[in-house]
Amino acid sequence: MAQWRTTSAYLLNLLKILFLTHSFNSLTQRLFVELARCGHELSIELDINDAVTQQAAELFQPDLIIAPFLKRAIPETIWRSHVCLIVHPGITGDRGPSALDWAIMHDCHEWGVTVLQANAEMDGGDIWASEVFPMRFARKSSLYRHEVVEAATHAVLTAVMRFQSGTFKPVPLDYSRPDVQGRLHAPIRQIDRSIDWQQDSTLTVLRKIHAADGFPGVLDTLFDEPYYLFDACMEEHLTGKPGTIIAKRNNAICRATTDGAVWMGHLKHRSPAGLTFKLASTLALKDHLIKVPEIPSDPFSTESGNTYRDIWFERKNDVGYLHFAFYNGAMDTAQCERLREAYLQATRSDIRVIVLIGGPDFWCNGIHLNHIEHAASPADESWRNINAMNDLAHAIITTDRQLTIAALQGNAGAGGVFLSLAADYIFARASVILNPHYKSMGNLYGSEYWTYLLPRRASASHVTSLTRNRLPIGAQEARNIGLIDDYFALNPADFRRKIALIAETIAINPDFPALLQKKAQQRRSDEQQKPLQSYRDEELRHMQLNFYGFDPSYHVARYHFVHKIPHGWTPRYLARHHSR
Ligand code: COA
């Protein structure tokens, strides 16, 4: 073991843990936050090639290697010399790729996560821990971000404690045991996923698209061109000839099935060169949709029934809940503008509290990088998008008739985190991960009035470390440094209940007028010290250089992000073993 290990780390039996992962995705980030909270020393190596993995293990000399999200096998030299724990998104005994995809396709009522030790047999190693959860009828990406992340966090923390104990013997996989229900399965193919629009029911279509959501999508044909389908939801009222596109609304198109219809929010064109990426369906099919009727939906409508809507408002007593469930948390110019309009309409009503509740999977991840990449001038579209975002943030900051709450049910990143700081109170679900920084996107400076909003809440040293370190933080850490007011509840339903209680309590507080007055006074005094417009102008001067200046870093980073170009090397702020 390396000599530099501190005495207290020895005494507490803290470990040096190397993460070996395809990308620093939401699960990896959550495990990183949880294990760092326990005091373990962590370093990350992206799975680039065997030589890089080998070098990382030599430099870091880890006690344990964890692979939260891998697409390749761990090299034999590594698993023979280190205990390597693989996080497999399947129940005990399940082996092979596309585990969650199959579980959704087979309509399993229960699924799970298994932490097993890497050996020569893919997913066949000894078992260190496992967890099960009830399945929801939901998109794979949503199940992954909620149930799988939660179960994996439990299982990994258990496995690490068992490893620390030094006495635990992992259990060999034994298919003769009645509790081992999983089986080896083949990789799922597009032919397994294909939709027969003349035969499949709405539920079957939804299940197929859900099972492929996030990646890779269901390959289908639209206007004689191949597209991958994503982001589906049910339509309860519209019907038409099965397979035809019968309506459009904002970003989505509605396609008739044999017994109803489904909306599809996102498409990815399949091109031989492979240089395509997900776009809003109405953008991807723009020229073909001229004759398709636009069926608008009023965010304030109280009509019930399943349909597609990305912004909607609910009122209960004196509290208004503004939902904005944008796919992947990305907000394009039009979405920012629509959300601002809905927000302003809410402020004109007689409600006392506005809860900005985001979507169930994400609160917000900032400007829409895919739509920017697709634009004729990405620089111009970046400029429009950030200004629309700023207009929204401005509307929230200057609200003087209501108190506002940002309620983060899901994760937030970059401008999305700073947008949440525009509210008067910020609460997050306990397992939420925040990425309060812009720098990883090609040294983007960022706007959303962050230079005003962040120092209002965090100390100067925290401002510096948050923006420079580019690391994710958990809700607990965010609360500890004052970035958010509090965090609670793992379960989304419990979170929403508690938020409703807080909002109602604020709304009926006899001191409500005084609280509102205090807020207005603070705003006036802040404005006198430095007008909001000055913050905005300063930030946008930097952004102008990012978008239009000589340094193309932002455009290069966005291109890599949108096209999912694999990393050629692990960023040094993650691969800490290089700084030793
Ligand atoms: N614009 C467009 N798409 C975005 C996005 C954005 N701002 N932020 C995330 N996404 C997409 C990702 O491309 C990915 O797409 P996929 O469904 O095709 O895989 C999906 O959202 C999930 O993102 P992923 O990176 O897998 O999620 P994560 O939870 O693991 O990581 C972030 C979250 C926020 C760290 C990461 O998505 C990120 O860095 N986003 C960019 C933030 C940013 O720089 N915004 C612009 C400045 S305001």
Side-chain angles (χ1 to χ4, degrees):
M1 222 171 262
Q3 286 164 351
W4 42 263
R5 184 74 72 86
T6 62
T7 319
S8 60
Y10 272 125
L11 290 176
L12 293 167
N13 193 14
L14 296 176
L15 305 174
K16 278 201 292 172
I17 303 177
L18 178 68
F19 277 21
L20 185 58
T21 184
H22 176 75
S23 71
F24 196 37
N25 72 344
S26 51
L27 170 59
T28 314
Q29 295 191 11
R30 173 76 186 282
L31 294 176
F32 177 86
V33 164
E34 296 278 348
L35 290 166
R37 196 179 287 157
C38 298
H40 300 297
E41 186 184 344
L42 306 170
S43 190
I44 296 161
E45 191 64 85
L46 300 179
D47 183 30
I48 290 159
N49 60 42
D50 290 357
V52 169
T53 306
Q54 187 70 49
Q55 190 198 35
E58 278 161 19
L59 284 174
F60 194 50
Q61 298 278 309
D63 302 308
L64 183 63
I65 294 179
I66 297 180
F69 169 46
L70 266 194
K71 294 191 173 178
R72 296 182 330 126
I74 295 180
E76 184 171 349
T77 50
I78 299 289
W79 60 255
R80 283 214 185 273
S81 51
H82 297 83
V83 173
C84 300
L85 300 182
I86 311 273
V87 180
H88 177 73
I91 50 173
T92 308
D94 179 86
R95 295 177 55 201
S98 341
L100 200 47
D101 310 42
W102 278 125
I104 299 169
M105 291 291 269
H106 291 149
D107 198 16
C108 295
H109 295 294
E110 195 175 69
W111 200 241
V113 170
T114 308
V115 175
L116 43 91
Q117 188 162 342
N119 66 10
E121 243 183 310
M122 191 77 158
D123 303 330
D126 294 354
I127 294 152
W128 281 79
S130 62
E131 290 283 330
V132 290
F133 53 81
M135 284 283 267
R136 267 184 304 141
F137 186 69
R139 299 165 184 189
K140 178 176 67 166
S141 54
S142 180
L143 287 165
Y144 187 83
R145 292 194 176 105
H146 291 278
E147 283 83 347
V148 171
V149 166
E150 247 18 274
T153 304
H154 259 201
V156 166
L157 291 177
T158 306
V160 169
M161 277 193 298
R162 287 175 174 168
F163 179 82
Q164 281 174 298
S165 78
T167 55
F168 180 79
K169 293 256 174 301
V171 184
L173 177 60
D174 175 1
Y175 282 109
S176 68
R177 285 175 49 162
D179 58 327
V180 177
Q181 294 288 319
R183 292 292 173 262
L184 175 68
H185 54 248
I188 194 165
R189 301 158 305 164
Q190 278 298 340
I191 189 93
D192 304 313
R193 302 185 191 268
S194 70
I195 296 171
D196 182 344
W197 292 94
Q198 307 309 317
Q199 296 288 330
D200 289 346
S201 68
T202 299
L203 272 184
T204 306
V205 172
L206 281 177
R207 178 166 297 121
K208 287 178 176 177
I209 305 179
H210 283 353
D213 196 64
F215 180 82
V218 173
L219 186 59
D220 199 27
T221 305
L222 284 158
F223 302 102
D224 300 324
E225 287 288 321
Y227 284 94
Y228 295 97
L229 316 179
F230 303 91
D231 183 19
C233 74
M234 183 189 280
E235 165 58 46
E236 242 174 78
H237 303 297
L238 303 174
T239 51
K241 191 170 157 236
T244 54
I245 297 185
I246 52 174
K248 62 185 178 195
R249 175 179 300 155
N250 302 323
N251 283 349
I253 52 168
C254 185
R255 198 168 183 186
T257 60
T258 53
D259 59 350
V262 292
W263 289 94
M264 291 175 296
H266 280 76
L267 301 175
K268 182 174 145 185
H269 190 232
R270 190 184 74 166
S271 83
L275 284 177
T276 56
F277 45 88
K278 282 180 201 169
L279 289 174
S281 303
T282 44
L283 194 59
L285 298 175
K286 203 168 166 199
D287 299 335
H288 298 286
L289 300 177
I290 294 155
K291 290 195 182 139
V292 174
E294 169 94 32
I295 309 222
S297 145
D298 175 5
F300 291 83
S301 155
T302 48
E303 229 176 85
S304 61
N306 288 312
T307 190
Y308 165 82
R309 46 190 195 162
D310 54 5
I311 300 174
W312 70 101
F313 181 84
E314 289 171 316
R315 176 175 183 160
K316 191 150 181 260
N317 304 322
D318 286 334
V319 180
Y321 298 87
L322 189 55
H323 300 258
F324 41 106
F326 300 132
Y327 190 64
N328 284 337
M331 265 159 73
D332 68 19
T333 306
Q335 286 166 325
C336 293
E337 288 168 354
R338 283 192 290 115
L339 183 55
R340 179 171 170 272
E341 259 168 47
Y343 179 81
L344 290 175
Q345 191 171 332
T347 60
R348 289 192 287 270
S349 72
D350 59 353
I351 51 174
R352 288 182 144 201
V353 177
I354 299 178
V355 181
L356 294 151
I357 198 149
D361 293 344
F362 289 103
W363 198 79
C364 175
N365 277 333
I367 55 178
H368 201 310
L369 298 169
N370 290 31
H371 288 180
I372 289 171
E373 186 66 29
H374 177 73
S377 164
D380 289 350
E381 187 50 37
S382 302
W383 185 255
R384 270 195 291 272
N385 203 161
I386 197 66
N387 273 289
M389 194 70 124
N390 283 353
D391 291 343
L392 171 64
H394 185 271
I396 301 169
I397 297 169
T398 54
T399 301
D400 54 7
R401 297 184 55 226
Q402 285 87 11
L403 291 174
T404 54
I405 297 176
L408 279 62
Q409 307 178 75
N411 295 351
V417 179
F418 299 108
L419 181 69
S420 75
L421 305 189
D424 301 317
Y425 306 94
I426 306 149
F427 300 107
R429 200 160 57 79
S431 53
V432 155
I433 299 291
L434 304 174
N435 276 280
H437 48 84
Y438 300 92
K439 234 178 153 187
S440 339
M441 196 51 65
N443 266 328
L444 198 63
Y445 185 80
S447 195
E448 288 99 1
Y449 300 91
W450 76 266
T451 51
Y452 166 61
L453 297 171
L454 185 57
R456 271 203 323 185
R457 291 194 149 259
S459 70
S461 68
H462 285 135
V463 169
T464 310
S465 61
L466 284 176
T467 50
R468 278 206 191 139
N469 291 351
R470 316 174 191 195
L471 289 172
I473 59 169
Q476 184 179 322
E477 290 71 24
R479 199 275 314 265
N480 292 350
I481 63 170
L483 192 67
I484 66 171
D485 293 289
D486 208 353
Y487 67 93
F488 36 78
L490 278 177
N491 181 294
D494 293 343
F495 176 74
R496 286 191 296 268
R497 265 194 292 276
K498 180 91 191 269
I499 284 292
L501 194 68
I502 293 173
E504 293 282 349
T505 309
I506 295 173
I508 57 166
N509 187 342
D511 289 337
F512 181 83
L515 288 172
L516 209 54
Q517 209 177 12
K518 195 169 155 215
K519 169 178 162 175
Q521 265 165 8
Q522 183 67 52
R523 181 80 283 285
R524 273 196 300 275
S525 121
D526 288 355
E527 189 67 18
Q528 263 166 14
Q529 256 183 27
K530 180 170 170 175
L532 275 179
Q533 190 61 41
S534 304
Y535 289 100
R536 180 168 175 153
D537 291 344
E538 281 167 19
E539 290 168 7
L540 287 179
R541 266 198 291 281
H542 289 275
M543 291 294 256
Q544 206 166 19
L545 284 177
N546 288 137
F547 300 158
Y548 297 102
F550 290 118
D551 178 358
S553 301
Y554 157 69
H555 296 292
V556 173
R558 190 194 61 241
Y559 180 89
H560 279 77
F561 179 83
V562 165
H563 289 93
K564 305 198 182 306
I565 311 263
H567 281 270
W569 53 283
T570 307
R572 291 298 184 256
Y573 59 91
L574 300 177
R576 292 155 166 191
H577 43 278
H578 283 286
S579 56
R580 295 230 155 264

